[in-house]
Amino acid sequence: MSWIKAFCIVLFLYCLQSNAQEITIYTIGDSTMSNKKNPDKNPEHGWAQVLSQFFTAEVQIDNRAVNGRSTKSFIAEGRWDSIVTQLQPGDYVFIQFGHNDQKFKDPDRFTNPYTAYRTNLVRFVAETRAQGAHPILFTSIVRRNFNEFGVLIDTHGEYPLVVRMVANELKVPLIDLQTLTEAWEISYGVEASKQLHLHFKPGEHPYYPNGKEDNTHLSKKGATAIAKMVVEVIEQQQIDLKKYIKP
C-alpha cells in the first residue's frame, strides 16, 4: 500500500470520527432528578444523576436539576436562560417539575397549575424547539405516601394532568413517570418500598447517624430503577434518542 493511499484511509477515518454526532441531554427539574454531593458516601441519588450509564459515549448528560426548584424559581434564577444559550440542534431537554410548584406557602416557587405552571412548560418547549433541540416532558415521580390501609395516595394534584395536556397539545413526547412510579411503589408494597427511598434507623448508616425517613427522595436503587424506566419508554415510543441507548 502506497503512503498516499494509507494517508487517505487515515484521513477518511478521522473525518468519519469527527463527524460522528454528539448530543447533550439537559435535564431540568427538582431534587428527585438532581446530582447529590458525595455520591460515594451519600445514599441519596437523583434519577438523572445515574442516567448516563444507559447511554453510549456520543451522549453527554448535563444535569441542571436543582433541589427545591419549581418552574418559576428555575426561570427566575436564570437557570433556564443559561441552558437556552447553549442548546444545539439535535440536543434534548428532559423537563420534570411539579414537586415544588405546589408549594402554596412560598410565593417564590408556587405556580397555579393551569396558568403559570402551564405557561412555563410551554415556554420550555417552545424555546427548546426554537434552537432545533427536542423537548421531552415528564410527570413527577410519586411520593411513597401509603395510608393506614396500605393504599398509595397521590400528592401532586393537578400538576401531572397539566403536563399531559401540554404534551398532547404541543405534540411533545411524554414520559408519564407518575403512572409508572405509582405502579412501581405499589408493586414493592408498604415495607419493601422503603428501600427505594431513604429510610435508616439511628446508627444504621454513617451518612445519617441520627436516622432518616424520607419518602420523596431516592436511594441509588430507586434512582437507577427510574432512570431505567425512562430509557425503556424512550425505546417503546421510538424516540430517535433510542439509537444512543446501550444494548
Side-chain angles (χ1 to χ4, degrees):
M1 180 185 298
S2 69
W3 71 267
I4 296 178
K5 187 174 182 181
F7 174 79
C8 290
I9 292 173
V10 171
L11 182 63
F12 171 76
L13 292 174
Y14 173 79
C15 292
L16 190 65
Q17 182 178 9
S18 298
N19 290 329
Q21 186 178 11
E22 294 186 359
I23 65 167
T24 300
I25 299 173
Y26 293 90
T27 57
I28 66 173
D30 53 48
S31 57
T32 61
M33 299 173 78
S34 66
N35 293 337
K36 311 303 177 184
K37 63 181 182 180
N38 302 322
D40 294 334
K41 299 178 181 179
N42 187 353
E44 181 182 349
H45 288 68
W47 67 258
Q49 182 177 2
V50 298
L51 189 60
S52 62
Q53 65 186 291
F54 296 99
F55 287 95
T56 61
E58 290 88 354
V59 174
Q60 175 186 349
I61 308 294
D62 191 338
N63 188 6
R64 301 290 186 94
V66 182
N67 292 11
R69 270 45 178 197
S70 68
T71 58
K72 182 178 182 179
S73 61
F74 197 87
I75 291 170
E77 293 171 1
R79 297 178 185 277
W80 174 240
D81 286 341
S82 71
I83 293 171
V84 172
T85 58
Q86 296 182 33
L87 281 175
Q88 298 295 317
D91 286 344
Y92 284 79
V93 181
F94 288 7
I95 305 161
Q96 182 213 270
F97 288 94
H99 274 91
N100 299 300
D101 286 83
Q102 64 180 172
K103 307 285 187 180
F104 63 90
K105 294 182 180 180
D106 186 345
D108 292 330
R109 292 190 290 177
F110 175 73
T111 60
N112 183 300
Y114 291 107
T115 54
Y117 184 62
R118 179 188 179 281
T119 297
N120 292 339
L121 293 179
V122 171
R123 175 179 173 178
F124 293 146
V125 169
E127 294 184 0
T128 297
R129 285 175 165 171
Q131 299 301 317
H134 309 288
I136 299 180
L137 287 168
F138 293 73
T139 53
S140 300
I141 68 170
V142 300
R143 294 181 173 93
R144 181 187 167 276
N145 185 44
F146 290 95
N147 67 13
E148 66 270 28
F149 306 107
V151 175
L152 189 70
I153 304 299
D154 171 62
T155 64
H156 288 113
E158 297 163 311
Y159 291 89
L161 174 61
V162 172
V163 178
R164 296 182 187 107
M165 292 170 65
V166 171
N168 182 64
E169 177 184 348
L170 300 182
K171 309 303 179 189
V172 182
L174 170 70
I175 297 183
D176 195 347
L177 284 183
Q178 184 197 35
T179 297
L180 292 171
T181 57
E182 178 182 278
W184 174 64
E185 297 274 3
I186 292 171
S187 71
Y188 271 82
V190 175
E191 287 302 315
S193 59
K194 291 179 180 179
Q195 65 188 279
L196 308 175
H197 299 277
L198 305 171
H199 279 257
F200 302 102
K201 297 176 182 178
E204 185 177 356
H205 197 287
Y207 204 82
Y208 300 113
N210 298 321
K212 184 80 170 177
E213 288 189 13
D214 184 337
N215 294 310
T216 297
H217 301 102
L218 301 163
S219 65
K220 187 174 183 180
K221 177 176 181 175
T224 303
I226 292 177
K228 185 177 180 182
M229 289 180 201
V230 169
V231 168
E232 289 173 348
V233 175
I234 289 170
E235 291 183 311
Q236 291 165 7
Q237 293 190 11
Q238 296 294 301
I239 296 170
D240 194 51
L241 186 58
K242 71 181 180 64
K243 65 187 177 186
Y244 299 105
I245 295 172
K246 289 180 180 177

